[in-house]
Amino acid sequence: MINMLYIHGFNSSPQSMKAQITRDFFAKNYPEINFHCPQIASSPDTAMAQLEAIVALEPRSTWLLIGSSLGGYFATYLAEKYQMKAVLINPAVKPFELMKAYLGEQVNPYTHECYQVKEQHIVELKALEQENISNNNYLVMVQTGDEVLNYQQAVEKYCQCQLAIVQGGDHSFIDYENTLPNIALFFNLPLILA
């Protein structure tokens, strides 16, 4: 059995465009894959507990990870802990540094949840950092026009991994839908016949 876990980014949700495009693509072309895309909690510790609980539902099956932005940071933690393959889309590399700018009240634009980003969340994020990564487990896709994250950080951290560096674009990853066949290929899924 194959399971896919899509992990959305900060202040995002399963209703985000990338999450929906991913769900639709795999449902159409690989209906045998169980697709999971939870609304993850705003607290990093709670979010990770959620994600690990999902993986624990099918511990013996193959898990494929896709993480966008902060979700890419979480996916890296899971990929290292469980030796899973992961695709990272404009991943956050040091979110514990960036999160200082978001301390205080936040409102998720998708769910309208009002919550607090606290100093403790920065500590929790730092604790999830993976210094050493497995070179063969990742496909890392970045766009140089990312206005939220410095794409060079991802290029440096994952320099020994499969890298797709696209000139221009933005943090949402322009033309993401056209990358999905390559993502399937990275996961060693059968080729889609037109």
Side-chain angles (χ1 to χ4, degrees):
M1 181 179 290
I2 301 176
N3 286 279
M4 179 172 286
L5 179 55
Y6 182 99
I7 309 171
H8 66 72
F10 175 67
N11 262 346
S12 191
S13 95
Q15 274 66 58
S16 72
M17 189 173 290
K18 280 199 298 291
Q20 291 189 32
I21 289 170
T22 307
R23 177 187 290 111
D24 293 347
F25 174 85
F26 284 98
K28 178 183 174 188
N29 297 293
Y30 302 97
E32 71 280 9
I33 293 177
N34 294 321
F35 187 85
H36 304 263
C37 182
Q39 178 66 52
I40 61 171
S42 49
S43 150
D45 276 4
T46 307
M48 190 52 67
Q50 262 183 293
L51 296 169
E52 292 195 284
I54 290 169
V55 172
L57 294 173
E58 298 280 352
R60 289 188 180 83
S61 71
T62 298
W63 282 90
L64 308 173
L65 303 172
I66 300 178
S68 174
S69 193
L70 181 59
Y73 184 77
F74 290 150
T76 299
Y77 176 85
L78 292 171
E80 292 304 318
K81 182 169 182 177
Y82 299 104
Q83 285 304 296
M84 299 170 173
K85 292 189 89 158
V87 172
L88 313 180
I89 306 147
N90 282 334
V93 173
K94 295 186 178 295
F96 43 86
E97 292 177 355
L98 298 171
M99 209 53 73
K100 292 171 185 167
Y102 295 92
L103 286 169
E105 187 173 288
Q106 294 289 324
V107 178
N108 185 306
Y110 293 92
T111 65
H112 308 294
E113 175 200 8
C114 186
Y115 64 97
Q116 297 288 324
V117 174
K118 303 173 182 173
E119 292 279 359
Q120 178 60 30
H121 294 162
I122 294 170
V123 174
E124 292 170 9
L125 283 171
K126 179 67 177 156
L128 296 172
E129 185 178 22
Q130 300 299 298
E131 297 283 353
N132 302 305
I133 55 169
S134 311
N135 299 340
N136 299 325
N137 283 358
Y138 301 94
L139 167 61
V140 181
M141 302 171 11
V142 296
Q143 291 193 327
T144 63
D146 187 335
E147 74 285 7
V148 176
L149 300 172
N150 179 354
Y151 80 96
Q152 289 282 7
Q153 286 188 336
V155 170
E156 288 166 20
K157 183 172 182 76
Y158 299 96
C159 62
Q160 300 297 319
C161 305
Q162 284 191 47
L163 276 172
I165 304 169
V166 179
Q167 295 301 312
D170 63 22
H171 189 62
S172 72
F173 207 96
I174 301 292
D175 292 330
Y176 170 71
E177 61 274 14
N178 295 324
T179 70
L180 286 160
N182 285 336
I183 289 174
L185 198 63
F186 172 75
F187 285 141
N188 297 319
L189 297 172
L191 286 173
I192 304 162
L193 301 175

Short mmCIF file of all heavy atoms in Angstrom, two decimals, residues 23-83:
data_model
loop_
_atom_site.label_atom_id
_atom_site.label_comp_id
_atom_site.label_asym_id
_atom_site.label_seq_id
_atom_site.Cartn_x
_atom_site.Cartn_y
_atom_site.Cartn_z
N ARG A 23 -3.69 16.72 -5.00
CA ARG A 23 -4.72 15.72 -4.72
C ARG A 23 -5.40 15.25 -6.01
O ARG A 23 -5.55 14.06 -6.26
CB ARG A 23 -5.78 16.29 -3.76
CG ARG A 23 -6.93 15.31 -3.47
CD ARG A 23 -8.05 15.95 -2.66
NE ARG A 23 -7.63 16.20 -1.29
CZ ARG A 23 -7.44 17.40 -0.76
NH1 ARG A 23 -7.60 18.49 -1.49
NH2 ARG A 23 -7.07 17.52 0.49
N ASP A 24 -5.79 16.20 -6.85
CA ASP A 24 -6.49 15.86 -8.09
C ASP A 24 -5.62 15.05 -9.04
O ASP A 24 -6.07 14.09 -9.66
CB ASP A 24 -6.98 17.14 -8.80
CG ASP A 24 -8.06 17.87 -8.00
OD1 ASP A 24 -8.61 17.27 -7.04
OD2 ASP A 24 -8.35 19.03 -8.33
N PHE A 25 -4.34 15.44 -9.16
CA PHE A 25 -3.42 14.74 -10.06
C PHE A 25 -3.25 13.29 -9.65
O PHE A 25 -3.33 12.38 -10.48
CB PHE A 25 -2.06 15.46 -10.08
CG PHE A 25 -1.01 14.73 -10.87
CD1 PHE A 25 -0.91 14.90 -12.24
CD2 PHE A 25 -0.11 13.87 -10.24
CE1 PHE A 25 0.06 14.22 -12.98
CE2 PHE A 25 0.86 13.20 -10.97
CZ PHE A 25 0.95 13.37 -12.34
N PHE A 26 -3.00 13.06 -8.37
CA PHE A 26 -2.76 11.68 -7.93
C PHE A 26 -4.04 10.87 -7.89
O PHE A 26 -4.03 9.67 -8.17
CB PHE A 26 -2.00 11.67 -6.59
CG PHE A 26 -0.54 11.99 -6.78
CD1 PHE A 26 -0.06 13.27 -6.55
CD2 PHE A 26 0.35 11.04 -7.25
CE1 PHE A 26 1.27 13.60 -6.77
CE2 PHE A 26 1.68 11.34 -7.47
CZ PHE A 26 2.15 12.63 -7.23
N ALA A 27 -5.17 11.49 -7.60
CA ALA A 27 -6.46 10.78 -7.63
C ALA A 27 -6.76 10.30 -9.06
O ALA A 27 -7.24 9.18 -9.27
CB ALA A 27 -7.57 11.67 -7.12
N LYS A 28 -6.46 11.14 -10.03
CA LYS A 28 -6.75 10.80 -11.43
C LYS A 28 -5.78 9.76 -11.98
O LYS A 28 -6.19 8.81 -12.66
CB LYS A 28 -6.67 12.07 -12.29
CG LYS A 28 -6.90 11.82 -13.77
CD LYS A 28 -6.74 13.10 -14.59
CE LYS A 28 -6.84 12.79 -16.08
NZ LYS A 28 -6.51 13.96 -16.90
N ASN A 29 -4.49 9.94 -11.71
CA ASN A 29 -3.46 9.11 -12.34
C ASN A 29 -2.98 7.94 -11.49
O ASN A 29 -2.47 6.95 -12.05
CB ASN A 29 -2.27 9.99 -12.73
CG ASN A 29 -2.65 11.03 -13.76
OD1 ASN A 29 -2.97 10.70 -14.89
ND2 ASN A 29 -2.64 12.29 -13.35
N TYR A 30 -3.12 8.03 -10.19
CA TYR A 30 -2.66 6.97 -9.29
C TYR A 30 -3.71 6.74 -8.20
O TYR A 30 -3.48 6.98 -7.02
CB TYR A 30 -1.32 7.36 -8.65
CG TYR A 30 -0.23 7.63 -9.67
CD1 TYR A 30 0.05 8.93 -10.08
CD2 TYR A 30 0.49 6.58 -10.24
CE1 TYR A 30 1.03 9.19 -11.03
CE2 TYR A 30 1.48 6.83 -11.19
CZ TYR A 30 1.74 8.13 -11.59
OH TYR A 30 2.70 8.38 -12.53
N PRO A 31 -4.90 6.26 -8.60
CA PRO A 31 -6.00 6.13 -7.62
C PRO A 31 -5.69 5.14 -6.50
O PRO A 31 -6.38 5.16 -5.47
CB PRO A 31 -7.17 5.66 -8.49
CG PRO A 31 -6.55 5.07 -9.71
CD PRO A 31 -5.29 5.84 -9.94
N GLU A 32 -4.67 4.31 -6.69
CA GLU A 32 -4.32 3.34 -5.64
C GLU A 32 -3.59 4.00 -4.46
O GLU A 32 -3.46 3.40 -3.39
CB GLU A 32 -3.44 2.22 -6.23
CG GLU A 32 -2.03 2.62 -6.61
CD GLU A 32 -1.89 3.34 -7.97
OE1 GLU A 32 -2.91 3.70 -8.58
OE2 GLU A 32 -0.74 3.53 -8.41
N ILE A 33 -3.14 5.23 -4.64
CA ILE A 33 -2.42 5.93 -3.56
C ILE A 33 -3.43 6.59 -2.62
O ILE A 33 -4.34 7.28 -3.05
CB ILE A 33 -1.46 7.00 -4.14
CG1 ILE A 33 -0.33 6.32 -4.92
CG2 ILE A 33 -0.88 7.88 -3.03
CD1 ILE A 33 0.63 7.27 -5.58
N ASN A 34 -3.25 6.35 -1.34
CA ASN A 34 -4.07 7.02 -0.32
C ASN A 34 -3.45 8.39 -0.04
O ASN A 34 -2.32 8.48 0.43
CB ASN A 34 -4.10 6.21 0.98
CG ASN A 34 -4.81 4.89 0.80
OD1 ASN A 34 -5.80 4.81 0.09
ND2 ASN A 34 -4.27 3.85 1.40
N PHE A 35 -4.21 9.44 -0.33
CA PHE A 35 -3.70 10.81 -0.20
C PHE A 35 -4.16 11.41 1.12
O PHE A 35 -5.35 11.41 1.43
CB PHE A 35 -4.21 11.65 -1.38
CG PHE A 35 -3.62 13.03 -1.44
CD1 PHE A 35 -2.40 13.25 -2.05
CD2 PHE A 35 -4.30 14.11 -0.89
CE1 PHE A 35 -1.86 14.54 -2.11
CE2 PHE A 35 -3.77 15.39 -0.95
CZ PHE A 35 -2.55 15.61 -1.56
N HIS A 36 -3.21 11.92 1.88
CA HIS A 36 -3.51 12.56 3.17
C HIS A 36 -3.03 14.00 3.11
O HIS A 36 -1.88 14.26 2.76
CB HIS A 36 -2.79 11.85 4.31
CG HIS A 36 -3.09 10.39 4.41
ND1 HIS A 36 -4.03 9.87 5.27
CD2 HIS A 36 -2.55 9.33 3.76
CE1 HIS A 36 -4.06 8.56 5.14
NE2 HIS A 36 -3.18 8.20 4.23
N CYS A 37 -3.89 14.92 3.49
CA CYS A 37 -3.49 16.33 3.58
C CYS A 37 -4.27 16.97 4.72
O CYS A 37 -5.33 17.55 4.52
CB CYS A 37 -3.74 17.06 2.26
SG CYS A 37 -3.22 18.78 2.30
N PRO A 38 -3.76 16.83 5.94
CA PRO A 38 -4.48 17.37 7.10
C PRO A 38 -4.31 18.88 7.25
O PRO A 38 -3.35 19.46 6.74
CB PRO A 38 -3.81 16.65 8.27
CG PRO A 38 -2.39 16.47 7.80
CD PRO A 38 -2.49 16.19 6.32
N GLN A 39 -5.25 19.48 7.95
CA GLN A 39 -5.06 20.86 8.39
C GLN A 39 -4.17 20.78 9.62
O GLN A 39 -4.58 20.25 10.66
CB GLN A 39 -6.40 21.51 8.76
CG GLN A 39 -6.27 22.94 9.28
CD GLN A 39 -5.78 23.91 8.21
OE1 GLN A 39 -6.34 23.96 7.14
NE2 GLN A 39 -4.72 24.65 8.53
N ILE A 40 -2.92 21.22 9.47
CA ILE A 40 -2.02 21.03 10.61
C ILE A 40 -2.12 22.18 11.60
O ILE A 40 -2.45 23.31 11.24
CB ILE A 40 -0.56 20.77 10.17
CG1 ILE A 40 0.02 21.93 9.38
CG2 ILE A 40 -0.43 19.48 9.40
CD1 ILE A 40 1.51 21.80 9.13
N ALA A 41 -1.83 21.85 12.83
CA ALA A 41 -1.96 22.81 13.94
C ALA A 41 -0.94 23.93 13.81
O ALA A 41 0.10 23.78 13.15
CB ALA A 41 -1.77 22.08 15.27
N SER A 42 -1.22 25.05 14.45
CA SER A 42 -0.32 26.19 14.39
C SER A 42 0.90 26.01 15.29
O SER A 42 1.94 26.61 15.06
CB SER A 42 -1.07 27.47 14.77
OG SER A 42 -1.79 27.30 15.96
N SER A 43 0.81 25.16 16.30
CA SER A 43 1.96 24.86 17.16
C SER A 43 2.81 23.78 16.49
O SER A 43 2.29 22.72 16.12
CB SER A 43 1.48 24.36 18.52
OG SER A 43 2.41 23.46 19.09
N PRO A 44 4.13 24.01 16.29
CA PRO A 44 4.97 23.00 15.64
C PRO A 44 4.94 21.63 16.33
O PRO A 44 4.87 20.60 15.66
CB PRO A 44 6.37 23.62 15.69
CG PRO A 44 6.11 25.09 15.71
CD PRO A 44 4.86 25.27 16.53
N ASP A 45 5.00 21.60 17.67
CA ASP A 45 4.97 20.31 18.37
C ASP A 45 3.66 19.57 18.10
O ASP A 45 3.65 18.37 17.87
CB ASP A 45 5.14 20.51 19.89
CG ASP A 45 6.61 20.63 20.28
OD1 ASP A 45 7.49 20.62 19.39
OD2 ASP A 45 6.87 20.75 21.50
N THR A 46 2.55 20.29 18.15
CA THR A 46 1.25 19.66 17.90
C THR A 46 1.14 19.21 16.45
O THR A 46 0.63 18.12 16.15
CB THR A 46 0.10 20.64 18.24
OG1 THR A 46 0.29 21.12 19.57
CG2 THR A 46 -1.26 19.97 18.14
N ALA A 47 1.65 20.04 15.54
CA ALA A 47 1.63 19.69 14.12
C ALA A 47 2.42 18.41 13.87
O ALA A 47 1.97 17.49 13.17
CB ALA A 47 2.21 20.83 13.29
N MET A 48 3.60 18.31 14.46
CA MET A 48 4.42 17.11 14.25
C MET A 48 3.77 15.89 14.87
O MET A 48 3.81 14.79 14.28
CB MET A 48 5.83 17.33 14.82
CG MET A 48 6.81 16.23 14.43
SD MET A 48 6.87 15.88 12.63
CE MET A 48 7.56 17.40 12.02
N ALA A 49 3.14 16.05 16.02
CA ALA A 49 2.43 14.92 16.64
C ALA A 49 1.30 14.45 15.71
O ALA A 49 1.07 13.24 15.56
CB ALA A 49 1.87 15.34 18.00
N GLN A 50 0.61 15.39 15.10
CA GLN A 50 -0.45 15.07 14.13
C GLN A 50 0.10 14.26 12.97
O GLN A 50 -0.47 13.24 12.57
CB GLN A 50 -0.99 16.38 13.53
CG GLN A 50 -2.25 16.94 14.11
CD GLN A 50 -2.63 18.18 13.30
OE1 GLN A 50 -1.93 19.18 13.35
NE2 GLN A 50 -3.71 18.12 12.57
N LEU A 51 1.19 14.76 12.39
CA LEU A 51 1.77 14.11 11.21
C LEU A 51 2.30 12.72 11.55
O LEU A 51 2.09 11.76 10.78
CB LEU A 51 2.90 14.99 10.64
CG LEU A 51 2.44 16.36 10.11
CD1 LEU A 51 3.64 17.25 9.83
CD2 LEU A 51 1.57 16.21 8.87
N GLU A 52 2.94 12.58 12.70
CA GLU A 52 3.46 11.26 13.09
C GLU A 52 2.31 10.30 13.39
O GLU A 52 2.43 9.09 13.12
CB GLU A 52 4.39 11.39 14.29
CG GLU A 52 5.67 12.13 13.89
CD GLU A 52 6.78 11.97 14.91
OE1 GLU A 52 6.74 12.62 15.97
OE2 GLU A 52 7.71 11.20 14.61
N ALA A 53 1.21 10.81 13.90
CA ALA A 53 0.04 9.94 14.16
C ALA A 53 -0.54 9.42 12.85
O ALA A 53 -0.99 8.27 12.77
CB ALA A 53 -1.01 10.72 14.94
N ILE A 54 -0.51 10.24 11.80
CA ILE A 54 -1.01 9.79 10.49
C ILE A 54 -0.11 8.68 9.95
O ILE A 54 -0.59 7.65 9.48
CB ILE A 54 -1.09 10.98 9.51
CG1 ILE A 54 -2.22 11.93 9.94
CG2 ILE A 54 -1.31 10.50 8.07
CD1 ILE A 54 -2.22 13.26 9.22
N VAL A 55 1.21 8.88 10.03
CA VAL A 55 2.15 7.86 9.56
C VAL A 55 1.98 6.57 10.37
O VAL A 55 2.05 5.47 9.82
CB VAL A 55 3.61 8.38 9.66
CG1 VAL A 55 4.61 7.28 9.38
CG2 VAL A 55 3.81 9.55 8.70
N ALA A 56 1.70 6.70 11.66
CA ALA A 56 1.55 5.53 12.53
C ALA A 56 0.32 4.70 12.18
O ALA A 56 0.24 3.52 12.56
CB ALA A 56 1.48 5.98 13.99
N LEU A 57 -0.64 5.27 11.45
CA LEU A 57 -1.82 4.50 11.04
C LEU A 57 -1.46 3.38 10.09
O LEU A 57 -2.12 2.34 10.06
CB LEU A 57 -2.85 5.43 10.36
CG LEU A 57 -3.48 6.51 11.23
CD1 LEU A 57 -4.32 7.45 10.37
CD2 LEU A 57 -4.33 5.88 12.32
N GLU A 58 -0.42 3.59 9.28
CA GLU A 58 0.02 2.59 8.29
C GLU A 58 1.54 2.46 8.37
O GLU A 58 2.25 2.77 7.40
CB GLU A 58 -0.39 3.03 6.88
CG GLU A 58 -1.87 3.17 6.65
CD GLU A 58 -2.55 1.84 6.39
OE1 GLU A 58 -1.83 0.82 6.24
OE2 GLU A 58 -3.79 1.82 6.34
N PRO A 59 2.06 1.96 9.49
CA PRO A 59 3.52 1.98 9.68
C PRO A 59 4.29 1.09 8.71
O PRO A 59 5.46 1.35 8.45
CB PRO A 59 3.69 1.51 11.12
CG PRO A 59 2.45 0.73 11.42
CD PRO A 59 1.36 1.37 10.63
N ARG A 60 3.64 0.09 8.14
CA ARG A 60 4.36 -0.84 7.27
C ARG A 60 4.22 -0.49 5.79
O ARG A 60 4.83 -1.14 4.95
CB ARG A 60 3.88 -2.27 7.51
CG ARG A 60 4.33 -2.82 8.85
CD ARG A 60 4.03 -4.30 9.00
NE ARG A 60 4.47 -4.78 10.30
CZ ARG A 60 3.76 -4.66 11.41
NH1 ARG A 60 2.58 -4.06 11.39
NH2 ARG A 60 4.22 -5.13 12.55
N SER A 61 3.41 0.49 5.48
CA SER A 61 3.22 0.83 4.08
C SER A 61 4.28 1.85 3.63
O SER A 61 5.00 2.42 4.45
CB SER A 61 1.82 1.38 3.83
OG SER A 61 1.69 2.66 4.39
N THR A 62 4.37 2.06 2.34
CA THR A 62 5.28 3.06 1.78
C THR A 62 4.64 4.43 1.93
O THR A 62 3.48 4.62 1.57
CB THR A 62 5.54 2.77 0.29
OG1 THR A 62 6.16 1.49 0.19
CG2 THR A 62 6.43 3.83 -0.33
N TRP A 63 5.41 5.38 2.45
CA TRP A 63 4.93 6.76 2.59
C TRP A 63 5.75 7.66 1.70
O TRP A 63 6.99 7.60 1.69
CB TRP A 63 5.05 7.23 4.05
CG TRP A 63 3.95 6.70 4.91
CD1 TRP A 63 3.94 5.54 5.62
CD2 TRP A 63 2.69 7.33 5.15
NE1 TRP A 63 2.75 5.40 6.29
CE2 TRP A 63 1.96 6.49 6.01
CE3 TRP A 63 2.10 8.52 4.71
CZ2 TRP A 63 0.67 6.79 6.46
CZ3 TRP A 63 0.81 8.83 5.14
CH2 TRP A 63 0.12 7.97 6.01
N LEU A 64 5.07 8.51 0.96
CA LEU A 64 5.70 9.51 0.11
C LEU A 64 5.31 10.88 0.65
O LEU A 64 4.14 11.12 0.97
CB LEU A 64 5.20 9.37 -1.33
CG LEU A 64 5.30 7.97 -1.94
CD1 LEU A 64 4.62 7.93 -3.31
CD2 LEU A 64 6.75 7.53 -2.04
N LEU A 65 6.28 11.76 0.77
CA LEU A 65 6.03 13.07 1.39
C LEU A 65 6.16 14.19 0.36
O LEU A 65 7.07 14.17 -0.47
CB LEU A 65 7.05 13.34 2.50
CG LEU A 65 7.13 12.32 3.64
CD1 LEU A 65 8.32 12.64 4.54
CD2 LEU A 65 5.85 12.32 4.45
N ILE A 66 5.25 15.15 0.44
CA ILE A 66 5.39 16.40 -0.31
C ILE A 66 5.17 17.52 0.70
O ILE A 66 4.16 17.54 1.39
CB ILE A 66 4.37 16.51 -1.46
CG1 ILE A 66 4.55 15.37 -2.47
CG2 ILE A 66 4.53 17.87 -2.16
CD1 ILE A 66 3.55 15.39 -3.62
N GLY A 67 6.14 18.42 0.78
CA GLY A 67 6.02 19.53 1.73
C GLY A 67 6.28 20.85 1.05
O GLY A 67 7.26 21.00 0.30
N SER A 68 5.41 21.81 1.30
CA SER A 68 5.54 23.14 0.72
C SER A 68 5.90 24.15 1.81
O SER A 68 5.25 24.18 2.86
CB SER A 68 4.21 23.54 0.06
OG SER A 68 4.25 24.87 -0.38
N SER A 69 6.96 24.92 1.57
CA SER A 69 7.37 25.98 2.49
C SER A 69 7.65 25.42 3.89
O SER A 69 8.52 24.56 4.03
CB SER A 69 6.30 27.08 2.51
OG SER A 69 6.76 28.24 3.15
N LEU A 70 6.93 25.83 4.92
CA LEU A 70 7.14 25.27 6.25
C LEU A 70 6.86 23.77 6.23
O LEU A 70 7.51 22.99 6.95
CB LEU A 70 6.25 25.96 7.28
CG LEU A 70 6.39 25.49 8.73
CD1 LEU A 70 7.81 25.65 9.25
CD2 LEU A 70 5.41 26.23 9.64
N GLY A 71 5.94 23.34 5.39
CA GLY A 71 5.67 21.91 5.24
C GLY A 71 6.90 21.14 4.75
O GLY A 71 7.08 19.97 5.06
N GLY A 72 7.76 21.82 3.97
CA GLY A 72 9.01 21.20 3.53
C GLY A 72 9.96 20.96 4.68
O GLY A 72 10.69 19.96 4.72
N TYR A 73 9.94 21.86 5.64
CA TYR A 73 10.77 21.71 6.85
C TYR A 73 10.28 20.52 7.66
O TYR A 73 11.07 19.67 8.11
CB TYR A 73 10.69 23.00 7.65
CG TYR A 73 11.56 23.06 8.88
CD1 TYR A 73 12.93 23.29 8.78
CD2 TYR A 73 11.01 22.94 10.15
CE1 TYR A 73 13.73 23.38 9.91
CE2 TYR A 73 11.79 23.03 11.29
CZ TYR A 73 13.16 23.25 11.16
OH TYR A 73 13.95 23.34 12.30
N PHE A 74 8.95 20.42 7.83
CA PHE A 74 8.37 19.28 8.55
C PHE A 74 8.63 17.97 7.79
O PHE A 74 8.92 16.94 8.39
CB PHE A 74 6.86 19.48 8.74
CG PHE A 74 6.49 20.57 9.71
CD1 PHE A 74 5.30 21.28 9.55
CD2 PHE A 74 7.29 20.90 10.79
CE1 PHE A 74 4.93 22.28 10.45
CE2 PHE A 74 6.94 21.90 11.69
CZ PHE A 74 5.75 22.59 11.51
N ALA A 75 8.52 18.02 6.46
CA ALA A 75 8.74 16.81 5.66
C ALA A 75 10.18 16.33 5.80
O ALA A 75 10.43 15.12 5.82
CB ALA A 75 8.41 17.10 4.19
N THR A 76 11.13 17.26 5.91
CA THR A 76 12.54 16.87 6.09
C THR A 76 12.72 16.11 7.40
O THR A 76 13.41 15.09 7.45
CB THR A 76 13.44 18.13 6.06
OG1 THR A 76 13.30 18.75 4.78
CG2 THR A 76 14.90 17.77 6.29
N TYR A 77 12.08 16.59 8.45
CA TYR A 77 12.17 15.90 9.75
C TYR A 77 11.63 14.47 9.62
O TYR A 77 12.28 13.51 10.06
CB TYR A 77 11.38 16.67 10.81
CG TYR A 77 11.34 15.98 12.15
CD1 TYR A 77 12.37 16.16 13.07
CD2 TYR A 77 10.29 15.13 12.49
CE1 TYR A 77 12.35 15.50 14.30
CE2 TYR A 77 10.26 14.47 13.71
CZ TYR A 77 11.29 14.66 14.62
OH TYR A 77 11.27 14.00 15.83
N LEU A 78 10.46 14.33 9.01
CA LEU A 78 9.86 13.01 8.86
C LEU A 78 10.68 12.11 7.95
O LEU A 78 10.86 10.91 8.22
CB LEU A 78 8.43 13.13 8.31
CG LEU A 78 7.41 13.78 9.24
CD1 LEU A 78 6.10 14.05 8.49
CD2 LEU A 78 7.14 12.92 10.48
N ALA A 79 11.19 12.67 6.85
CA ALA A 79 11.99 11.89 5.91
C ALA A 79 13.23 11.32 6.59
O ALA A 79 13.62 10.17 6.34
CB ALA A 79 12.38 12.74 4.71
N GLU A 80 13.85 12.12 7.45
CA GLU A 80 15.04 11.65 8.15
C GLU A 80 14.69 10.62 9.23
O GLU A 80 15.34 9.59 9.35
CB GLU A 80 15.80 12.83 8.77
CG GLU A 80 16.43 13.74 7.76
CD GLU A 80 17.37 13.02 6.80
OE1 GLU A 80 18.15 12.15 7.24
OE2 GLU A 80 17.32 13.34 5.60
N LYS A 81 13.65 10.88 9.96
CA LYS A 81 13.28 9.97 11.06
C LYS A 81 12.85 8.60 10.56
O LYS A 81 13.20 7.58 11.14
CB LYS A 81 12.17 10.60 11.90
CG LYS A 81 11.76 9.72 13.10
CD LYS A 81 10.86 10.45 14.05
CE LYS A 81 10.51 9.56 15.25
NZ LYS A 81 9.68 10.26 16.24
N TYR A 82 12.09 8.60 9.45
CA TYR A 82 11.51 7.35 8.95
C TYR A 82 12.13 6.87 7.64
O TYR A 82 11.68 5.88 7.08
CB TYR A 82 10.00 7.51 8.76
CG TYR A 82 9.27 7.86 10.04
CD1 TYR A 82 8.82 9.15 10.28
CD2 TYR A 82 9.03 6.89 11.02
CE1 TYR A 82 8.14 9.47 11.44
CE2 TYR A 82 8.35 7.21 12.19
CZ TYR A 82 7.92 8.50 12.40
OH TYR A 82 7.25 8.82 13.56
N GLN A 83 13.15 7.57 7.16
CA GLN A 83 13.79 7.25 5.88
C GLN A 83 12.77 7.13 4.75
O GLN A 83 12.62 6.10 4.10
CB GLN A 83 14.64 5.97 6.02
CG GLN A 83 15.94 6.22 6.77
CD GLN A 83 16.78 7.33 6.15
OE1 GLN A 83 17.26 7.22 5.04
NE2 GLN A 83 16.95 8.44 6.88
#
